[in-house]
Amino acid sequence: MKILLLNGPNLSLTGVREPSIYGTTTLEEIVSRLSKRAKACGADVTALQSNHEGALIDALIDARGRFDGVILNAGALSHYSYALRDAIASCEIPVIEVHMSNIDAREEFRRTSVIAPACRGKITGLGAMSYMLALEYFLSLKPAVDNNYKE
């Protein structure tokens, strides 16, 4: 199983940017934890962070046929990027939208995600654990291999 982890604008500052909202865990620590968990389950995580909408769209389009799932924290793009929404709908891969903060408890403009209808699901408000729960969802879809099993 191959999982693509995409992070949008400003998420490179995770851990130092507004720690009262986003916590102190860095993006590098999140990627490391997800990679270790995935590897322990026989899966791989490929991570990309970009401040550019087009790079995220390109990554989604290029993921077709190469990845089994996408974990996406699009940051503020979640609230207005119809181009990103269309790329999610077109990539034909299940996408889980994640947010570290509870977007429903924040400013009004953050309460609507235009990408959510194109995603398989959405996990918000659980800090860095939001990513791990998305990974666990994908790992739960991975067929178990037990060569000793007999019916």
Side-chain angles (χ1 to χ4, degrees):
M1 173 169 275
K2 294 174 78 175
I3 304 299
L4 179 60
L5 171 61
L6 293 178
N7 284 280
N10 301 311
L11 289 161
S12 60
L13 298 174
T14 300
V16 295
R17 173 185 169 230
E18 299 180 87
S20 63
I21 296 173
Y22 302 106
T24 57
T25 305
T26 67
L27 184 58
E28 292 79 18
E29 291 170 324
I30 292 168
V31 171
S32 177
R33 290 175 187 170
L34 265 60
S35 295
K36 287 178 186 174
R37 174 68 179 139
K39 186 175 182 179
C41 296
D44 292 308
V45 171
T46 299
L48 169 74
Q49 187 280 322
S50 180
N51 294 321
H52 305 283
E53 180 182 29
L56 298 173
I57 291 168
D58 288 344
L60 284 164
I61 292 169
D62 292 344
R64 289 177 62 142
R66 296 180 48 225
F67 290 92
D68 302 298
V70 177
I71 299 169
L72 171 63
N73 185 341
L77 292 172
S78 304
H79 313 296
Y80 66 86
S81 178
Y82 293 101
L84 187 59
R85 181 250 172 250
D86 289 348
I88 293 166
S90 299
C91 76
E92 299 178 346
I93 303 168
V95 176
I96 302 294
E97 177 184 1
V98 299
H99 296 277
M100 296 177 73
S101 69
N102 180 355
I103 61 173
D104 294 316
R106 296 191 60 200
E107 303 93 338
E108 185 66 35
F109 76 91
R110 294 187 198 275
R111 296 179 189 167
T112 299
S113 169
V114 300
I115 68 171
C119 293
R120 173 74 51 94
K122 179 168 69 170
I123 302 170
T124 69
L126 302 175
M129 183 57 73
S130 296
Y131 290 94
M132 190 60 74
L133 292 172
L135 177 63
E136 290 299 330
Y137 168 76
F138 286 122
L139 293 175
S140 76
L141 302 178
K142 187 176 180 282
V145 177
D146 183 355
N147 294 329
N148 297 319
Y149 179 75
K150 294 182 174 66
E151 278 191 64

